[in-house]
Each structure stands twice: as structure tokens, then as C-alpha cells.
Amino acid sequence: MPADYNGTWNMVSNDNFEGYMKALGIDFATRIIAKMLKPQKVIEQKGDFFHVQTLSSFRNYNAEFTVGVEFNEETKGLDNRKCKTLVTWDNDRLVCVQKGKKNNRGWIHWIEGDQLFLELSCEDQVCKQVYKKAD
Ligand code: 1AG
């Protein structure tokens, strides 16, 4: 039985999002706006299938994947790049590798209590985000 990520999660902290966005080549004006956002994750999980919506007042990002199945990801509205993306289980953690132009790109999700953690990596930058489960 894999971990259960289902639910609505609200951002409570976002450490070094600026460094992560710079590593992705996001322009200054966009970074200013993006930094102020407190996105919400809406996750629907059926076994190994995930639909993850990252919602904000500025832009939304939609990801659908099955753990263990590589897919073509287009990071629409983010840095607009194409990646070969694979998400796998590491025990109850979701580990994602995004192969493409940027080195060392990916993310890790895990849950502790009512908090959802996300570490986003690109090149030498790591952004650490924490979300709290909505009531
Ligand atoms: C992700 O989460 C990333 C989802 O895949 C978006 C998170 C951060 C934004 C990434 C790069 C910054 C690029 C441009 C900034 C412009 C707008 C920011 C909008 C932020 C809300 C969408 C992993 C997993 C789902 O949860 O795949």
C-alpha cells in the first residue's frame, strides 16, 4: 500500500524559491510576482496514478503521472521546457527526475503528519516547500 497523498494542501513556507527560479532562468519580473504566491496543491491519487494541481492567483500547473512510467513533461507556464520525467517510490516518498536541458532537475514529496513536503532541485539550488492539509 503506497502512502496516501490525496487532499488539498496549502503552502505554509517556501525556502529558496528565488534560487530555484534563477537556476531555471525565470526572468526578474516573473520572479517578483511568483515569490509572493502561496500556492495550493490539490492531489488526487489512485494507487500509483497521480493528478497534482498546483493552483495560484497568477498561474496554475497541472501534472498527471503514473509512478514508474516515464512521460514527456512540458512545464507550461513555468520555464516552458520539455523534460523526460520519471517519478518513483522511495518507501513513501515520491522521487521525481526531470531529464532535460537543466542538470540535476527534479523534486521529492513526502508527508509527515498533516504536512506535505516538497523539495524542488535544479542545478545547485534546492527550494524547500511545506504545505499543510486543509480542513
Ligand atoms: C512541480 O511540483 C512544480 C509546480 O512540479 C510549480 C512550482 C514551482 C514553480 C516552478 C518554477 C518557477 C517557474 C516560473 C514561475 C512562474 C509562476 C509560478 C507559479 C507557481 C504556481 C504554479 C511538483 C509536483 C507537481 O507537486 O508536479
Side-chain angles (χ1 to χ4, degrees):
M1 269 289 276
D4 182 7
Y5 285 80
N6 282 293
T8 297
W9 308 83
N10 295 316
M11 178 180 274
V12 290
S13 65
N14 192 7
D15 178 55
N16 194 38
F17 190 39
E18 173 74 1
Y20 174 73
M21 288 193 289
K22 273 190 183 167
L24 284 173
I26 305 302
D27 67 83
F28 178 77
T30 305
R31 293 203 310 270
I32 295 290
I33 298 166
K35 258 189 296 191
M36 303 195 310
L37 303 172
K38 290 263 178 278
Q40 184 178 60
K41 297 259 181 206
V42 178
I43 302 179
E44 294 175 299
Q45 174 189 0
K46 287 204 172 90
D48 280 349
F49 175 77
F50 284 80
H51 181 198
V52 181
Q53 296 176 79
T54 307
L55 305 173
S56 79
S57 53
F58 178 50
R59 283 178 199 162
N60 299 326
Y61 186 67
N62 194 50
E64 288 182 301
F65 56 85
T66 300
V67 178
V69 180
E70 190 176 68
F71 65 102
N72 296 309
E73 181 174 22
E74 214 181 312
T75 58
K76 254 187 222 149
L78 305 179
D79 62 320
N80 297 301
R81 286 196 176 90
K82 288 179 178 162
C83 300
K84 294 271 184 209
T85 300
L86 175 64
V87 183
T88 54
W89 289 112
D90 170 21
N91 297 305
D92 284 343
R93 294 185 177 215
L94 284 173
V95 178
C96 173
V97 175
Q98 294 166 309
K99 276 189 285 174
K101 189 171 169 158
K102 292 290 176 181
N103 290 322
N104 191 37
R105 180 172 185 172
W107 50 257
I108 303 175
H109 264 304
W110 72 95
I111 292 170
E112 290 176 21
D114 66 348
Q115 292 192 312
L116 172 73
F117 291 79
L118 173 61
E119 283 190 5
L120 295 153
S121 298
C122 181
E123 296 180 330
D124 62 345
Q125 297 297 310
V126 182
C127 167
K128 298 185 179 198
Q129 302 186 341
V130 183
Y131 296 78
K132 195 178 187 307
K133 195 155 195 179
D135 303 313

